[in-house]
C-alpha cells in the first residue's frame, strides 16, 4: 500500500509520455521501441499496471540495444572523418 502512495498510477501522464516517445522513435526508425511504446499505451488504456511495467522493462532493453547500435554508428562516423574529406577528389 505504501508503494501505491509513493508511486501513484497516473495512466494519463504515462500515456502522454509514451505518445511522445513513440513519435520520436518513429522519426528515427526505431520500430522495436515504437512497438513497445504502443504496447505500453495499450496497457494504459486498460489501466493495467502489470502490463505497463512489463512493457517498460522491454522498452528499457530495446533502448539499450538501440543505444549500443547508435554508439557504434557514431564511432564509425568519427573514424571516417569529415564528409568533405572523404568525398573530395585527389588533385
Amino acid at each position: 500500500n505504501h508503494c501505491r502512495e509513493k508511486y501513484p498510477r497516473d495512466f494519463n501522464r504515462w500515456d502522454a509520455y509514451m505518445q511522445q516517445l513513440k513519435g520520436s522513435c518513429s522519426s528515427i526508425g526505431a520500430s522495436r521501441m515504437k512497438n513497445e511504446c504502443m504496447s505500453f499505451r495499450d496497457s494504459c488504456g486498460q489501466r493495467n499496471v502489470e502490463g505497463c511495467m512489463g512493457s517498460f522493462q522491454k522498452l528499457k532493453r530495446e533502448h539499450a540495444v538501440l543505444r549500443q547500435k547508435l554508439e557504434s554508428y557514431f564511432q564509425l562516423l568519427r573514424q571516417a572523418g569529415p564528409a568533405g574529406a572523404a568525398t573530395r577528389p585527389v588533385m
Side-chain angles (χ1 to χ4, degrees), residues 17-29 34 37:
Y17 289 149
M18 283 301 127
Q19 173 66 15
Q20 290 176 347
L21 183 57
K22 182 177 81 80
S24 297
C25 292
S26 183
S27 71
I28 65 166
K34 181 189 84 165
C37 289

Side-chain angles (χ1 to χ4, degrees), residues 40-52:
F40 191 107
R41 294 189 71 216
D42 288 343
S43 292
C44 282
Q46 299 166 6
R47 305 187 79 71
N48 178 351
V49 174
E50 291 79 16
C52 287

Side-chain angles (χ1 to χ4, degrees), residues 47-73:
R47 305 187 79 71
N48 178 351
V49 174
E50 291 79 16
C52 287
M53 295 302 104
S55 289
F56 185 69
Q57 292 305 317
K58 291 176 185 175
L59 189 59
K60 284 175 35 175
R61 285 193 295 272
E62 291 300 335
H63 175 264
V65 170
L66 178 64
R67 181 178 176 162
Q68 184 177 17
K69 288 179 180 180
L70 286 174
E71 286 175 355
S72 296
Y73 173 74

Side-chain angles (χ1 to χ4, degrees), residues 72-91:
S72 296
Y73 173 74
F74 286 119
Q75 183 178 4
L76 287 172
L77 285 180
R78 284 191 296 274
Q79 290 173 357
T87 59
R88 189 178 309 132
V90 178
M91 297 188 164

